[in-house]
Amino acid sequence: MQDSTRGYLATTGPEGADSAAPMPPGFADATAPDPRTGAGSGPHAVPAVLPAQRTDLPTPSSGPRPLPRPAHTITLRGQIPEPMTSTHLVSVSYEAPPATVVYALALRPSAAHILVRRQVIADPTGRIALEIRTSYTPGVYPDSPLAQSQPIPGPWPDALAVHLNLRPATSRTDVTAHHPTPYQASILNLDSTAIVLVRDVTLYTTHGDPIDHTVSVWPADSTRITDTAPANS
């Protein structure tokens, strides 16, 4: 695996979309249940480690000073480079997977709880949320480093290879767009009428067995996902 800058193309400067406040309330309290999964707690849940809302920023009399949200261009299977972000662990828990994850990971409908890691990817200052990232991983023991309430540095496929001894060989990627759920709108500081880009990535072994399913959610007005392929593909 290459380093965490793989798959990244470019970033623009402060002319990106405005984030309506220095930090939305939900960003400082990201342990709220995600309506998409209905979950937010479990035997291994941990409190949010996100920074508290900043109060030392200059604000106009009409309300909080708008902060520009950096705009990024990401390849279909890429990420924003770690040096351009800060990662904030929201929770680590064992939960019953939602139906979409059950299907993606080829689990039994009555499958036992699986590991769920929720993170918010923010700008380097930690004040502007750029992405909500949730990973669903079956077969992880509670004493695994993946199940601990601490960030996992580097590319996620590399961490899976090291700690599960399963090297991801292929992946399936689906990208959809929709209005944000209340949880997504709160974390990303969006109006309910905004659009988010949702990328579902399922990783497989060389034998085609699912290893992990990760969902990334970005604001559509500041994120572009691109792909290059042969003209006759």
Side-chain angles (χ1 to χ4, degrees), residues 12-156:
T12 63
E15 66 272 21
D18 280 348
S19 176
M23 184 181 297
F27 188 67
D29 185 21
T31 53
D34 186 344
R36 177 170 179 171
T37 65
S41 61
H44 296 270
V46 298
V49 295
L50 306 180
Q53 184 166 343
R54 293 284 297 273
T55 59
D56 58 338
L57 298 175
T59 58
S61 58
S62 59
R65 178 182 179 182
L67 293 176
R69 191 195 309 276
H72 296 278
T73 298
I74 309 166
T75 61
L76 186 61
R77 287 167 289 277
Q79 302 286 356
I80 303 172
E82 288 186 358
M84 295 183 176
T85 62
S86 58
T87 300
H88 305 273
L89 185 64
V90 174
S91 66
V92 180
S93 59
Y94 282 82
E95 303 170 12
T100 53
V101 176
V102 170
Y103 177 80
L105 294 176
L107 301 172
R108 299 187 308 274
S110 59
H113 291 193
I114 66 174
L115 179 69
V116 181
R117 291 182 64 91
R118 290 185 173 85
Q119 301 175 93
V120 171
I121 312 302
D123 74 324
T125 70
R127 295 183 297 171
I128 304 173
L130 305 175
E131 174 192 349
I132 301 171
R133 187 181 303 167
T134 308
S135 295
Y136 302 87
T137 314
V140 180
Y141 291 104
D143 60 352
S144 168
L146 299 179
Q148 307 311 305
S149 56
Q150 58 191 17
I152 303 294
W156 184 237

